[in-house]
Amino acid sequence: MDIRDAIHVRAHVCGPALSEEQTSKPRGSERLAAVGVWQVSSSSSTMAPLLARPLTRFAATHYSPLILLRTMSSGNFLINQPKYAFLKELGLAETNKGVFNGKWFGNGEVITSYCPANKQPIAQVQQGTVQDLDECIKASKEAWQVWADMPAPARGEIVRQIGEALRAKLVPLGQLVAVEMGKIKPEGIGEVQEYVDICDFAVGLSRMVGGSVLPSERPGHVLMENWNPLGVVGVITAFNFPVAVYGWNSAIAMVCGDTLVWKGAPTTPLVSIATTKIVESVLVKNNLPAAVSTLCCGGADVGTAMAKDERVPLVSFTGSTNVGNKVALMVQERFGRHLLELGGNNAIIVDEDADPEMVVRAALFACVGTAGQRCTTTRRLILHHTLHDVIVERLVKAYGNFMSRIGDPLDDGTLYGPMHSQQGIDGFLATVKEAQALGGKVVFGGKVMEREGYFVEPTIITGMPHDAPVVQKETFAPIVYILKCSSVDEGISWNNEVKQGLSSSLFTQNLANVFKWLGPKGSDCGIININIPTNGAEIGGAFGGEKHTGGGRESGSDAWKQYMRRSTCTINYTKELPLAQGIKFE
């Protein structure tokens, strides 16, 4: 998913990526705070030498965030305000350690997490360093010695308890997702529910993971396949699903016998900390090594170190195609495994016999839910020419009615929250400008909203060529291109011509088109839907996509196989030594 790359350091939680010119010309602390640069507590002795000077970090990344050091009054933090009292229910404080390996610590920079809905500081986090990551991996390997010896059903019982602990914190953790990421409260709670649900799935899996017994061609022999855990699994997640993606990976990996090292997105560290505290509580209660699930908040250096570390046999990365490619190369260079969930340029194709009202209802949430910041968001709406005008008219009307539901993600009734950062807004504006230059017509939206927070208008653009460069790329914003096609066959061709291959949908009543869509010449995506939108995948099916989406599969089905190693085993229970293929060596 083309999100603010989880492995990359960016300008603060809600902040823009600052250019070298911007970092050399600060306009004062209030201006810098307003645009969301990092703020680091001046009380940190380790940061004292850096007081009040620009700092460009990690030459490997193109971001150049400015670190602004100043003391902030306790009253400035949302965590101290009554409306956000639920944050303390999650064990969060005004200042939090961002590294856990059985104990909480951190030797990196102190950053401030901001709320994208109002640009206000939530709380602070002291991040980890590459050395802190090393301590996490060491502790995780040591914990594996205990964890791998437990029977799989016993590990499943621990995961069941984690699910119960998450249920107990379902609402406050979901609210934290809304505050720090920006998605509306029902979506935030739903995301935590995904972790709960995958725990349930994993509990059942813990009694079902098995190999195969195969017919041997040699008498007195047994041929079988056996599965064992990999060891330490590294998980790098993104800001837009700061709980669920870790849940997908961790619940399955844990019942498979693996331990975990997690690097959450640099801009949602509070969610990572709160989630880890819930998992920690269950492990401690059961007298197990808490380092079964470790955490190292940090930036590009931490992500790069994890990708290159031979002690981590599998790295699961969720982020942009560009960064995912770099991660894959680093992991492959050491012959490790990678699980990638990357970009999605998803399309809904509408056949001539589809119900326009059903299409409009499906497209509304698929296009504007989470302010367009889902990897499964619908970015292209490919309409049969006979339905094009009526669906455009109805969708524009639906967008107009929807505008009254924009607001604070925590408020009841809000259906549309902010973009996660200024960087997202910059991408939105640049894309709208590019589309217009290529002949696109903005029939709804296209502007930044003049209100508190990082809000943009959900946007509909018509009149674009299907192969225009801006249509072919994924912009992580609430922009949908409406394209006019002459047939389902043409629509399928356009669906498949983009480099990404995550999710796709066809609205039709034609049975022949259904099976064409599902067949070898149909959609080339990992997720293929019929008469439902591109988003909203269930945990029972393996989640992921093809081509530049990375080819990985997370969550349900047989995705567990990625977290284990397979051995082909032959047992001779006789005193004879026959060779395979009838070979005689006498």
Side-chain angles (χ1 to χ4, degrees), residues 117 182 184 403-411 414-418 451 455:
I184 61 173
M403 294 297 287
S404 63
R405 308 295 292 276
I406 296 174
D408 187 331
L410 281 182
D411 291 348
T414 297
L415 291 181
Y416 180 92
R451 59 180 298 156
F455 288 85

Side-chain angles (χ1 to χ4, degrees), residues 367-410:
C367 296
V368 306
T370 325
Q373 298 168 113
R374 285 177 174 246
C375 54
T376 53
T377 292
T378 297
R379 315 251 176 232
R380 297 173 295 148
L381 195 54
I382 303 172
L383 307 178
H384 192 275
H385 67 92
T386 59
L387 293 180
H388 178 273
D389 292 350
V390 66
I391 289 178
V392 170
E393 180 183 355
R394 293 187 186 186
L395 193 60
V396 167
K397 182 178 179 181
Y399 269 50
N401 294 335
F402 176 81
M403 294 297 287
S404 63
R405 308 295 292 276
I406 296 174
D408 187 331
L410 281 182

Side-chain angles (χ1 to χ4, degrees), residues 32 65 130 143 233 258 278 284 325 335 381 385 392 418 420 456 476:
L32 292 170
V130 171
V233 171
D258 301 315
I278 292 171
V284 170
N325 182 55
F335 293 101
L381 195 54
H385 67 92
V392 170
H420 185 59
V456 300
F476 218 63

Side-chain angles (χ1 to χ4, degrees), residues 199-235:
C199 284
D200 288 345
F201 180 94
V203 172
L205 179 65
S206 70
R207 293 183 178 273
M208 296 174 65
V209 170
S212 302
V213 178
L214 307 168
S216 174
E217 65 185 62
R218 289 172 283 184
H221 285 59
V222 173
L223 179 64
M224 64 183 189
E225 290 184 338
N226 192 36
W227 294 84
N228 281 298
L230 288 173
V232 179
V233 171
V235 182

Side-chain angles (χ1 to χ4, degrees), residues 76-282:
N76 289 340
F77 292 102
L78 296 183
I79 195 170
N80 295 317
Q81 297 181 16
K83 179 178 178 178
Y84 304 93
F86 60 86
L87 296 174
K88 294 183 178 179
E89 294 178 38
L90 298 168
L92 297 175
E94 187 177 300
T95 301
N96 305 272
K97 298 295 185 180
V99 182
F100 179 74
N101 71 343
K103 65 179 186 297
W104 288 95
F105 67 104
N107 294 294
E109 295 156 355
V110 178
I111 66 168
T112 301
S113 175
Y114 279 73
C115 172
N118 55 30
K119 303 182 184 179
Q120 298 301 306
I122 306 170
Q124 292 182 321
V125 173
Q126 185 165 19
Q127 296 189 116
T129 63
V130 171
Q131 291 71 32
D132 293 343
L133 175 68
D134 179 66
E135 293 300 316
C136 288
I137 295 173
K138 287 179 182 176
S140 190
K141 282 181 65 67
E142 185 176 344
W144 184 82
Q145 298 296 327
V146 176
W147 188 247
D149 281 341
M150 293 176 63
R155 296 193 295 260
E157 167 58 19
I158 301 303
V159 172
R160 185 195 68 78
Q161 293 181 33
I162 291 172
E164 289 300 310
L166 288 162
R167 279 186 176 94
K169 299 293 186 182
L170 187 71
V171 173
L173 186 55
Q175 289 175 307
L176 171 58
V177 172
V179 170
E180 192 172 38
M181 184 271 148
K183 64 177 60 175
I184 61 173
K185 183 170 64 176
E187 286 189 79
I189 293 172
E191 183 178 341
V192 181
Q193 185 65 50
E194 282 194 60
Y195 196 167
V196 172
D197 292 344
I198 198 63
C199 284
D200 288 345
F201 180 94
V203 172
L205 179 65
S206 70
R207 293 183 178 273
M208 296 174 65
V209 170
S212 302
V213 178
L214 307 168
S216 174
E217 65 185 62
R218 289 172 283 184
H221 285 59
V222 173
L223 179 64
M224 64 183 189
E225 290 184 338
N226 192 36
W227 294 84
N228 281 298
L230 288 173
V232 179
V233 171
V235 182
I236 301 174
T237 60
F239 79 83
N240 63 330
F241 278 86
V243 172
V245 172
Y246 181 67
W248 295 346
N249 284 274
S250 64
I252 302 297
M254 287 177 75
V255 298
C256 288
D258 301 315
T259 56
L260 296 121
V261 179
W262 180 19
K263 192 193 93 67
T267 58
T268 53
L270 297 175
V271 173
S272 300
I273 292 168
T275 303
T276 300
K277 284 180 179 291
I278 292 171
V279 177
E280 174 199 7
S281 69
V282 173

Side-chain angles (χ1 to χ4, degrees), residues 286-498:
N286 286 275
N287 297 313
L288 290 166
V292 166
S293 179
T294 65
L295 171 71
C296 189
C297 295
D301 56 343
V302 173
T304 298
M306 184 187 294
K308 291 183 174 181
D309 200 305
E310 293 188 351
R311 296 171 296 176
V312 184
L314 170 66
V315 175
S316 174
F317 174 82
T318 301
S320 74
T321 296
N322 179 50
V323 178
N325 182 55
K326 293 181 174 66
V327 170
L329 292 174
M330 286 187 282
V331 175
Q332 181 60 43
E333 189 174 30
R334 60 177 175 85
F335 293 101
R337 296 191 194 182
H338 51 72
L339 195 168
L340 304 175
E341 203 286 280
L342 310 175
N345 191 353
N346 315 296
I348 292 177
I349 299 174
V350 179
D351 197 358
E352 59 185 326
D353 61 2
D355 177 0
E357 193 58 36
M358 187 177 181
V359 171
V360 169
R361 284 189 286 115
L364 183 63
F365 177 58
C367 296
V368 306
T370 325
Q373 298 168 113
R374 285 177 174 246
C375 54
T376 53
T377 292
T378 297
R379 315 251 176 232
R380 297 173 295 148
L381 195 54
I382 303 172
L383 307 178
H384 192 275
H385 67 92
T386 59
L387 293 180
H388 178 273
D389 292 350
V390 66
I391 289 178
V392 170
E393 180 183 355
R394 293 187 186 186
L395 193 60
V396 167
K397 182 178 179 181
Y399 269 50
N401 294 335
F402 176 81
M403 294 297 287
S404 63
R405 308 295 292 276
I406 296 174
D408 187 331
L410 281 182
D411 291 348
D412 293 335
T414 297
L415 291 181
Y416 180 92
M419 297 289 289
H420 185 59
S421 70
Q422 180 64 41
Q423 195 170 26
I425 288 181
D426 293 343
F428 168 85
L429 289 173
T431 298
V432 171
K433 182 178 180 181
E434 182 181 357
Q436 289 176 316
L438 292 171
K441 179 182 179 182
V442 176
V443 297
F444 194 94
K447 299 182 180 65
V448 175
M449 300 179 70
E450 294 191 6
R451 59 180 298 156
E452 187 179 49
Y454 296 104
F455 288 85
V456 300
E457 296 173 341
T459 299
I460 302 171
I461 299 177
T462 63
M464 295 293 297
H466 67 92
D467 56 355
V470 72
V471 175
Q472 294 286 302
K473 70 181 182 181
E474 179 190 30
T475 298
F476 218 63
I479 299 172
V480 63
Y481 304 104
I482 299 186
L483 311 174
K484 185 188 298 184
C485 70
S486 61
S487 66
V488 167
D489 286 341
E490 186 172 58
I492 293 174
S493 174
W494 294 359
N495 175 79
N496 294 350
E497 71 184 1
V498 299

Side-chain angles (χ1 to χ4, degrees), residues 32-55:
L32 292 170
V35 298
V37 297
W38 269 342
Q39 296 189 0
V40 184
S41 170
S42 60
S43 62
S44 172
S45 60
T46 61
M47 300 305 295
L50 302 176
L51 279 172
R53 68 179 177 90
L55 177 64

